Amino acid sequence: MIIYWLLQIFIYLIQLITAPLTLLPVATLSVNLAGTLTQAGNYLALFDIFLPIPELFITFGIVLVIEAGYFSYKVVRWVYSKIPGIT
Amino acid sequence: MKKYIFVGLAALLGIFIFSSHDALAFSITAPSTYVQPDSIYLDQNGNLVIDWHKVQLGFGGYDLPGGIMVSINGTSTDPELSYNGPYAGWSAGGHVLTHGGVGTGGGCAGGFGSSYAGASQAPYGNTYGPMSTVWNANSNSFVPTLSITQATPIYLTFFYYNGYTCGVGESLPTDGSTYWQIFYVNSIQELVQPVFLQPFDGAVIGQFPNWDFYLSNNSTSTQSGVVTVHFGTGPGNLTLAASTTYTDLPPGTDTELKIPQTYQFLTPQGPSSSVWYADLEVANTSTNFDITGSVISFTISNNAPAFAPFPNGMFNFGGGETSSTPANCQFTTSTFLNDPVGNLEQAGCNLFIPNTSEQAALFDSFNGIWGNLGNRIPFGYAKIIITAFQDFQEGTNTSTLMSTTTYAAFSSVLDPLRAGISFMLILMLGFWILRFVQHITL
C-alpha cells in the first residue's frame, strides 16, 4: 500500500511535469518526407548485412543528442546572461 | 574526432538526399504501395491473428485496406478462390477492417473513412483478428482455425473497401506485384501445452513409477480432454501408449498430472541400458483440438538411480513465456484469532508490497505517460524514424546484395565482422564521451 502510493505520487508528479508537452501537436510527416525515410531505410537495408546500421544510428543519435543538449545549455546560459542585473 | 563525426554525418546526409530523389518534386514516379503482414499466429485460444501494416509512398492521399480475405489450403492457380466463398457479400470469412482495428464480419463497416493524406498512419501495429474460422479452399467450407498448423499455407488478399456502394474495391498487393500471397503462421500459442517432467528429455533413469508432466492451460477458459503418452524404441516407432483424462484445468495455470507407468522397460533378460522415445498428445474431440508435443528420449539403465531430478530451467511455461510468481502476500487464509501471526505478517506485507492489480495499475499509468508523449513533437519524429528503420534485425537479412544462402555461407565471416564494427563504434563513442566530459566548460 505504502510503496504503491509512493509510486503513484511519483507518476502523478511526472504527469504534472510533462503535462505541457501533451499540448504539443502530434508529429506527422509529409508524404514526401515519410517516403524518403522509408526509401532511405530500404537503401540502408542493403548494407545491413555488412555494417551494423542500428548501432551506427544509435551512436550518431547519442552524439547528436549530447551535442544538441550542450548547445541548448549554452544558448540558455547566453540568454540568461543577457537579463539585466544578472552577471 | 569531430571531423570523423562530421564525415559520418555528411555520409548519412548524402544517403538521405540520395534516397530522397523519388520523393522530390522533380520526380513523377511514385513508389509502390503494398500491404504486408508483420506476423501471423494462432493465439492461446487457437484463433488466427494477423498483424499487418501498409507501406504508402509517393504523392497524394491513399486508402487504407478495407477488407482482408483469409483462405487456407488453396492453390496457386486459383488465388481468387474467395470469389466462390467468403468474397460474396462479405460473409463470415470476408472481414471488414476498420482503421487500426477490427471490424465486424459482414456488411459495411460503419464510420469507414476512405482517404487520408500523408504517409501511412500507424503503419505498424494493426491487428486483424482473432478469428475462429477461415475459408478452406479444398473443402469449400469454413473450418476452425484450430486446424491450422505451421505447415498450412494461408492465402491473404487485402482489399480496398468501397464505402459508397458497400462493396469490394481494388485489391492491394502484398509484395508490390501480386494481389495475394502465401504465408505461414509464425507461432502457435497452444491452448494446452504439455511438458514432460519425468522422464525428461535426455534423462538416464533406472525406472520410474509414473509418467509425470505439466499441462499449461494458456487459454482464458477451463479446459478438458484426454492426454496420451506415446512411447517406443524409436522416434518414429511410438507404438505403445498410456492415457488419462483431464477435466476443468483452470485458465492460465500449470497443472501437474501423472499416468501410472505399467510397462516393464527393463527386464532381467534385457540389455543393461536402452534408449526410449516418447511424446505427449493432448486432444479434445468436441473442439477438434489435438496437438502433440515434441518427442523426447530417455535412457533406462540398470546403474542409474530410480529417480532423476528434473533440471532447473529446462522448459518454459505459458507458450514460451517464463512463468512468474505474482508478488501477492498470502501468508494465511485463517482468521486473526486462529492465526494472529500469519495475519500480522500478511498485513505488514500488504502494507509495503503492491498486489497484482496495483502492479498492473502502476504499469498502465507509467506506460500511459509515454503513450501520451510518444506521438507528440518532438518525440513523435523519433518514433517515426525508428518505425521507418525498424526492419533492421540482425540475423534476418534479406538484402538484395546477397541471398540468404550466400549470407549463411559467409555468416562465419560477416557476423564477427559486424560484431567487431559494432564494438569499435561503441568504444569510439565511449572515448568521445570521455573526451567531451573532460573538455566541457560549463
Side-chain angles (χ1 to χ4, degrees), chain B residues 270-299:
Chain B
S272 60
S273 76
S274 58
V275 179
W276 290 79
Y277 297 83
D279 66 22
L280 280 168
E281 180 188 12
V282 186
N284 184 328
T285 52
S286 61
T287 62
N288 291 329
F289 176 71
D290 190 343
I291 63 163
T292 302
S294 55
V295 177
I296 66 160
S297 67
F298 57 97
T299 303

Side-chain angles (χ1 to χ4, degrees), chain B residues 40-44 46 145-151 185-191 193 218 289 291 319-320:
Chain B
I40 303 172
Y41 62 93
L42 291 186
D43 69 8
Q44 294 169 347
T145 51
L146 278 170
S147 63
I148 292 175
T149 69
Q150 287 184 305
V185 290
N186 305 116
S187 64
I188 297 174
Q189 301 173 10
E190 284 94 351
L191 198 68
Q193 182 187 20
N218 299 322
F289 176 71
I291 63 163

Side-chain angles (χ1 to χ4, degrees), chain A residues 2-3 7 16 20 23 25-26 31-32 36-37 40 47-49 61 63 69 77 79 81-83 87:
Chain A
I2 290 175
I3 301 292
L7 289 173
L16 191 67
L23 299 176
V26 173
V31 173
N32 293 346
T36 298
L37 278 176
F47 302 99
D48 194 42
I49 54 174
V63 170
R77 288 278 300 175
V79 172
S81 67
K82 295 297 174 190
I83 299 174
T87 57

Side-chain angles (χ1 to χ4, degrees), chain B residues 8-64:
Chain B
L9 289 173
L12 267 183
L13 185 64
I15 293 171
F16 187 77
I17 292 172
F18 173 70
S19 61
S20 67
H21 70 277
D22 273 341
L24 295 177
F26 53 77
S27 172
I28 58 170
T29 306
S32 60
T33 296
Y34 58 93
V35 178
Q36 182 71 47
D38 301 319
S39 67
I40 303 172
Y41 62 93
L42 291 186
D43 69 8
Q44 294 169 347
N45 291 314
N47 296 320
L48 189 67
V49 182
I50 299 167
D51 290 336
W52 59 274
H53 75 278
K54 179 180 175 180
V55 176
Q56 168 79 29
L57 303 174
F59 297 105
Y62 66 93
D63 290 330
L64 284 172

Side-chain angles (χ1 to χ4, degrees), chain A residues 68-84:
Chain A
Y70 186 50
F71 180 74
S72 305
Y73 170 78
K74 282 188 166 180
V75 168
V76 171
R77 288 278 300 175
W78 181 79
V79 172
Y80 183 71
S81 67
K82 295 297 174 190
I83 299 174

Side-chain angles (χ1 to χ4, degrees), chain A residues 1-4 22 24-27 29 31-32 34-37 39-41 43 45-46 48-49 52 56 67 70 73, chain B residues 19-23 57-58 118-119 350-352 358 375-377 384 389 392 397 399-401 418 422 432 440-441:
Chain A
M1 186 70 74
I2 290 175
I3 301 292
Y4 170 72
T22 60
L24 293 167
V26 173
L29 293 180
V31 173
N32 293 346
T36 298
L37 278 176
Q39 197 78 348
Y43 283 120
L46 297 176
D48 194 42
I49 54 174
L56 206 62
E67 289 281 14
Y70 186 50
Y73 170 78
Chain B
S19 61
S20 67
H21 70 277
D22 273 341
L57 303 174
N350 280 325
L351 203 57
F352 290 100
E358 287 173 338
N375 294 324
R376 310 275 173 183
I377 293 173
I384 290 171
F389 292 159
F392 299 126
N397 302 292
S399 172
T400 52
L401 292 179
R418 221 168 168 276
S422 300
W432 180 82
I440 196 168
T441 51

